[in-house]
Amino acid sequence: MAFLQVEGIRKSFGETSVLRDISFTMEQGEVLSMIGSSGSGKTTLLRCLNFLERPDGGRILMGDEVLFDASDARTLREKEIRRKRLRFGLVFQNFNLFPQYTALQNVMLARELLAKEQPGYKANRQCVHQEIQQQAEALLSQMGLKDKMQHYSHQLSGGQCQRVAIARALNLRPDILCFDEPTSALDPELTGEVLKVIRELADKQTTMIIVTHEMSFARDVASKVIFMDNGSICEMGTPEQVFEHPQQERTKQFLANYTSNP
């Protein structure tokens, strides 16, 4: 059984069909790169996986657990959706850090809010807080930000803010880490430092889904590539299959555009 199984996901906004029967599987430790033109449905698919949007049809399974089934989606309660959302960590394009908190506080915040919902939290508050802080400090150090933990977002570069956002997502211990254009808001110099962190995560067998326009990075870091067009999966395969031997004419046109207009 696949680690992640996505079956026939459909999503429309009004009369506009954004996702059309999206199906794919992933194994644990795989890195999936999703490429395609803007508006092809990549971000909407990530949002559906993270329960920020609710699909109109299809199923999402992780192992033998059904995370989402459109046939009974109306019965899902918000608390249950929040629990299932934790299976996926999402790193946004524009960081979405809270400006009133330090880098360390940003990384700790969600874990602390979740801890408060657990039975016995008040009796063990100090120990829980210490554990969460130690984990956050370790992650920020892993991101190369050991000396920036007490800095606010306005005191950090874009690349540093994105690395804080990655640490925040990892601190929730998700099964799959998702990136939505993680370098789109960065200049070329800062892009390199964020891609280096993602490549290091891939080397550690972190299961990831990466939406990106960085074609060379998508090819180098991924074990599987999906090319989306007009809300559908146009082509799927290994990086070599998709980038070196594309079968669909639309894929060839897209890749030719990126080759000629880097």
Side-chain angles (χ1 to χ4, degrees), residues 79 82-83 86 110-121:
K79 187 174 182 179
R82 288 207 313 272
R83 183 187 71 79
L86 292 174
R111 277 283 303 281
E112 292 200 306
L113 291 175
L114 288 170
K116 289 177 181 178
E117 297 179 358
Q118 301 304 309
Y121 168 75

Side-chain angles (χ1 to χ4, degrees), residues 100-152:
Q100 70 272 34
Y101 296 134
T102 64
L104 181 62
Q105 289 170 328
N106 265 282
V107 176
M108 293 176 61
L109 181 62
R111 277 283 303 281
E112 292 200 306
L113 291 175
L114 288 170
K116 289 177 181 178
E117 297 179 358
Q118 301 304 309
Y121 168 75
K122 289 184 178 180
N124 297 288
R125 180 185 304 174
Q126 191 61 38
C127 290
V128 172
H129 174 82
Q130 187 175 7
E131 180 187 344
I132 293 171
Q133 180 169 330
Q134 288 174 348
Q135 178 70 13
E137 289 174 349
L139 285 167
L140 284 168
S141 295
Q142 181 184 334
M143 297 294 123
L145 297 170
K146 186 175 182 178
D147 59 340
K148 304 293 183 182
M149 294 187 192
Q150 300 305 324
H151 285 54
Y152 294 87

Side-chain angles (χ1 to χ4, degrees), residues 20-183:
R20 311 166 189 260
D21 195 28
I22 300 294
S23 299
F24 64 90
T25 62
M26 284 184 70
E27 299 301 333
Q28 193 166 14
E30 273 195 326
V31 178
L32 171 65
S33 288
M34 291 171 44
I35 62 173
S37 302
S38 297
S40 59
K42 306 182 301 298
T43 293
T44 301
L45 178 55
L46 277 192
R47 291 178 64 83
C48 285
L49 292 176
N50 283 270
F51 295 93
L52 297 175
E53 300 287 353
R54 194 169 295 195
D56 301 319
R59 298 200 309 165
I60 302 169
L61 301 91
M62 189 169 285
D64 58 2
E65 180 185 356
V66 178
L67 296 183
F68 176 84
D69 189 332
S71 64
D72 61 8
R74 292 183 181 180
T75 64
L76 278 176
R77 299 188 177 187
E78 185 58 35
K79 187 174 182 179
E80 182 69 6
I81 289 173
R82 288 207 313 272
R83 183 187 71 79
K84 294 182 176 187
R85 185 177 289 146
L86 292 174
R87 307 294 293 271
F88 299 87
L90 180 57
V91 179
F92 298 91
Q93 295 183 30
N94 295 312
F95 327 134
N96 287 7
L97 299 181
F98 293 102
Q100 70 272 34
Y101 296 134
T102 64
L104 181 62
Q105 289 170 328
N106 265 282
V107 176
M108 293 176 61
L109 181 62
R111 277 283 303 281
E112 292 200 306
L113 291 175
L114 288 170
K116 289 177 181 178
E117 297 179 358
Q118 301 304 309
Y121 168 75
K122 289 184 178 180
N124 297 288
R125 180 185 304 174
Q126 191 61 38
C127 290
V128 172
H129 174 82
Q130 187 175 7
E131 180 187 344
I132 293 171
Q133 180 169 330
Q134 288 174 348
Q135 178 70 13
E137 289 174 349
L139 285 167
L140 284 168
S141 295
Q142 181 184 334
M143 297 294 123
L145 297 170
K146 186 175 182 178
D147 59 340
K148 304 293 183 182
M149 294 187 192
Q150 300 305 324
H151 285 54
Y152 294 87
S153 56
H154 73 272
Q155 298 172 306
L156 302 172
S157 69
Q160 290 167 339
C161 285
Q162 192 62 293
R163 283 183 278 156
V164 173
I166 294 171
R168 177 178 60 185
L170 286 171
N171 204 29
L172 291 171
R173 299 171 181 169
D175 294 291
I176 300 178
L177 187 58
C178 303
F179 293 89
D180 184 16
E181 296 288 358
T183 60

